[in-house]
């Protein structure tokens, strides 16, 4: 099983972009860790305590039911506490993320797609890309998040990009993940962020849009629901049997 790190600039980005994949991977027994770079505040209806509670609730929703998935693992969540709206690509930020990668011994890392209107999103993706390299450097100490044990230098094998962009365009992904059976859990995890998608009237249509997106991308590969991803590096297949539809 793989250690999967999903990095979000703000709590809710991971759920919006790949909540179905998170739920599916956790149900299969992979170790999924969500890293929030900021606490997402300030926002019009939120505050740090409320937002943290929403983020914890969302992670629980994405975690598998032991009765349904006895081999599953709960989705965990950590933060490094950079300031929302002011995220910058710095060495300190890179090393903070690299410290999480080491402590988690991440095999696969997901980051936001690199083209985005939101400066925090663009900065976080640059931070993650460089942190992946920094994490493998020996004789260089990295900070360890509270509650985690320091880990050895490592180099996550894969870096994939999910779409939670503020640009008004349709993703052109490298591959699609079949999330049939997990979309409802994704939508529920998004609704857990009441301060973002329930209380603000202008954002209440987001859940409906996410549902429509899941149906659209699912139709592209002949399944009910799917999520799009991008990769800059080639993905290797050992068997065509892993392809959907074969």
């Amino acid at each position: 099983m793989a250690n999967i790190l999903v990095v979000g600039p703000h709590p809710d980005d991971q759920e919006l972009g790949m909540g179905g994949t998170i739920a599916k991977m956790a149900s299969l027994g992979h170790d999924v860790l969500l890293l929030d770079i900021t606490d997402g505040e300030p926002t019009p209806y939120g505050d740090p305590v409320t937002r943290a509670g929403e983020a914890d609730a969302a992670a629980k929703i994405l975690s598998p039911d032991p009765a349904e998935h006895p081999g599953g693992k709960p989705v965990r969540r950590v933060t490094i506490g950079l300031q929302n709206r002011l995220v910058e690509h710095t060495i300190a930020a890179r090393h903070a993320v690299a410290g999480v990668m080491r402590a988690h011994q991440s095999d696969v890392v997901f980051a936001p797609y690199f083209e985005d209107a939101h400066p925090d999103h663009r900065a976080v993706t640059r931070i993650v890309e460089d942190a992946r390299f920094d994490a493998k450097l020996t004789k260089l100490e990295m900070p360890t998040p509270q509650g985690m044990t320091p880990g050895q230098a490592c180099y996550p094998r894969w870096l994939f990009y999910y779409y939670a962009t503020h640009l008004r365009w349709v993703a052109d992904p490298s591959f699609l993940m079949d999330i049939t059976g997990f979309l409802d859990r994704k939508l529920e995890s998004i609704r857990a962020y009441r301060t973002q998608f329930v209380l603000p009237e202008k954002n209440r249509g987001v859940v409906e849009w996410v549902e429509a997106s899941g149906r659209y991308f699912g139709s592209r590969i002949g399944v009910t629901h799917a999520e799009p991803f991008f990769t800059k590096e080639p993905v290797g297949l050992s068997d065509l049997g892993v392809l959907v539809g074969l």
Side-chain angles (χ1 to χ4, degrees):
M1 291 297 169
N3 292 343
I4 301 172
L5 178 65
V6 186
V7 185
H10 321 96
D12 73 27
D13 286 320
Q14 300 100 314
E15 290 86 350
L16 287 166
M18 54 177 291
T21 299
I22 291 168
K24 182 174 184 176
M25 294 301 102
S27 74
L28 293 173
H30 298 289
D31 183 353
V32 182
L33 177 65
L34 309 184
L35 169 58
D36 300 323
I37 298 298
T38 77
D39 65 4
E41 290 301 315
T43 59
Y45 294 90
D47 61 75
V49 174
T50 301
R51 196 70 177 274
E54 292 174 340
D56 287 343
K60 288 183 174 67
I61 291 167
L62 295 176
S63 297
D65 182 340
E68 295 180 14
H69 304 282
K73 288 187 177 180
V75 176
R76 297 180 294 138
R77 191 163 219 141
V78 297
T79 182
I80 59 171
L82 299 190
Q83 190 170 351
N84 182 34
R85 303 178 181 175
L86 298 176
V87 178
E88 293 183 297
H89 175 251
T90 65
I91 292 177
R94 283 165 38 188
H95 287 186
V97 174
V100 176
M101 292 178 181
R102 286 185 176 184
H104 183 233
Q105 290 293 292
S106 306
D107 301 303
V108 183
V109 176
F110 288 88
Y113 187 68
F114 40 86
E115 292 183 17
D116 200 308
H118 198 314
D120 281 0
H121 285 228
R122 296 196 304 270
V124 165
T125 300
R126 281 291 314 281
I127 290 167
V128 172
E129 290 172 336
D130 288 351
R132 181 191 183 202
F133 186 89
D134 292 342
K136 73 176 183 178
L137 300 177
T138 59
K139 299 182 180 179
L140 183 61
E141 295 295 323
M142 300 292 178
T144 303
Q146 185 176 0
M148 299 187 75
T149 303
Q152 298 296 317
C154 66
Y155 185 68
R157 179 68 183 273
W158 299 106
L159 173 60
F160 299 131
Y161 302 88
Y162 64 88
Y163 294 89
T165 178
H166 292 71
L167 293 172
R168 293 189 291 271
W169 50 271
V170 178
D172 184 19
S174 303
F175 65 92
L176 299 169
M177 178 69 72
D178 179 6
I179 61 164
T180 301
F182 292 91
L183 182 69
D184 287 346
R185 193 171 295 174
K186 172 179 181 171
L187 300 180
E188 186 182 353
S189 74
I190 295 171
R191 292 190 189 98
Y193 292 96
R194 289 181 50 82
T195 60
Q196 308 305 305
F197 305 111
V198 178
L199 298 180
E201 185 175 355
K202 68 182 181 66
N203 290 345
R204 290 174 188 168
V206 169
V207 173
E208 183 179 344
W209 177 87
V210 170
E211 182 178 16
S213 174
R215 289 198 307 270
Y216 168 74
F217 284 111
S219 73
R220 300 303 83 196
I221 57 173
V223 301
T224 306
H225 301 112
E227 289 174 332
F229 296 93
F230 187 85
T231 176
K232 294 181 180 180
E233 301 170 304
V235 175
L237 301 178
S238 60
D239 181 2
L240 289 179
V242 301
L243 294 174
V244 172
L246 286 183

